[in-house]
Amino acid sequence: QSVLTQPPSASGTPGQRVTISCSGSSSNIGSNYVYWYQQLPGTAPKLLIYRNNQRPSGVPDRFSGSKSGTSASLAISGLRSEDEADYYCAAWDDSLSGGLFGGGTKLTVL
Amino acid sequence: QVQLVQSGAEVKKPGSSVKVSCKASGGTFSSYAISWVRQAPGQGLEWMGGIIPIFGTANYAQKFQGRVTITADESTSTAYMELSSLRSEDTAVYYCARVRYSSSFQLTLECDYWGQGTLVTVSS
């Protein structure tokens, strides 16, 4: 069981807005940046959000990240079929002196 | 264009070791760190550790302490991950990733470029 907790699944219809949560603790999310990754089937993960809410060049502004206390969220607006993928949150943990990934959320576009 | 190219798939016996390489091109190798992340079949991502090549000191996840060694060769822009005492649970795809380190020279999880992954199968 991951220290960063994500719902195992989420779903939405095209055009809808969905959010994926990531719950941690004071030693990880509470005191460090949160990152979000998208992984399409059979491919390497792709950086989607860095430093809580920053988007790398090329990532559509439909994707946004936020953080409050020991939790973080990824929001996807204007959902598209190509957004169907696994999404992972990640954060450094000061107590473990190491990196952590959430368990992942499988997003289905209905 | 930044590229990370990993070595090919491996099949190993339980108790043996595996060493996976990750050659970087298209960027300044010494300006970034390299981390290793693995993914068991059907499972999530797991951070194993990382290294800042200009310092040469690696940081490992507690789970892998004593079993993993991460090194980097600046002269060839190549990073390596060696995992020993392999068991069936180590069967996974192993990824290297280029990582930005903080202003205080600490590893982060800002992995902006990834290798293609290397499948390591541990089986008797």
Side-chain angles (χ1 to χ4, degrees), chain B residues 25 28 51 53 74 98 102 110 113:
Chain B
S25 63
T28 306
I51 188 168
E74 285 189 83
R98 191 182 83 163
S102 70
E110 188 175 333
Y113 289 93

Coordinates of all heavy atoms in Angstrom, one line a residue, chain B residues 25 28 51 53 74 98 102 110 113:
Chain B
S25 N 21.7 11.4 -24.3 CA 22.3 12.3 -25.4 C 21.4 13.5 -25.6 O 20.2 13.5 -25.2 CB 22.3 11.4 -26.7 OG 21.0 11.0 -27.1
T28 N 23.0 18.3 -21.4 CA 24.2 18.3 -20.6 C 24.1 17.4 -19.4 O 23.3 17.6 -18.5 CB 24.4 19.8 -20.1 OG1 24.4 20.7 -21.2 CG2 25.8 19.8 -19.3
I51 N 20.9 9.5 -8.7 CA 22.3 10.0 -8.5 C 22.5 11.3 -9.2 O 21.9 11.6 -10.3 CB 23.3 9.0 -9.1 CG1 24.8 9.4 -8.8 CG2 23.1 8.8 -10.6 CD1 25.8 8.2 -9.0
P53 N 25.3 13.1 -11.1 CA 26.6 12.7 -11.6 C 27.8 13.5 -11.2 O 28.8 13.0 -10.9 CB 26.4 12.7 -13.1 CG 24.9 12.4 -13.3 CD 24.2 13.1 -12.1
E74 N 30.3 10.2 -16.3 CA 30.2 11.4 -17.0 C 30.9 11.4 -18.4 O 30.4 12.0 -19.3 CB 30.8 12.6 -16.2 CG 29.9 13.0 -15.0 CD 30.4 14.3 -14.4 OE1 30.0 15.4 -14.9 OE2 31.1 14.2 -13.4
R98 N 15.7 11.4 -16.5 CA 16.4 12.6 -16.2 C 15.7 13.4 -15.2 O 14.5 13.6 -15.3 CB 16.7 13.4 -17.5 CG 17.7 14.5 -17.3 CD 17.9 15.3 -18.6 NE 16.9 16.3 -18.7 CZ 17.0 17.4 -19.5 NH1 18.0 17.5 -20.2 NH2 16.0 18.3 -19.5
S102 N 17.4 20.1 -7.0 CA 17.0 21.4 -6.4 C 18.2 22.3 -6.3 O 19.4 21.9 -6.5 CB 16.4 21.2 -5.0 OG 17.4 20.8 -4.1
E110 N 11.1 15.5 -10.4 CA 10.8 16.2 -11.6 C 11.6 15.5 -12.7 O 12.6 15.9 -13.1 CB 11.2 17.7 -11.6 CG 10.7 18.5 -12.8 CD 11.0 19.9 -12.6 OE1 11.1 20.4 -11.5 OE2 11.2 20.6 -13.7
Y113 N 12.5 13.6 -18.8 CA 12.7 12.7 -19.9 C 13.0 11.3 -19.3 O 13.6 11.1 -18.3 CB 14.0 13.1 -20.7 CG 13.7 14.3 -21.5 CD1 14.0 15.6 -21.0 CD2 13.1 14.2 -22.8 CE1 13.8 16.7 -21.8 CE2 12.9 15.4 -23.6 CZ 13.2 16.6 -23.0 OH 13.0 17.8 -23.8

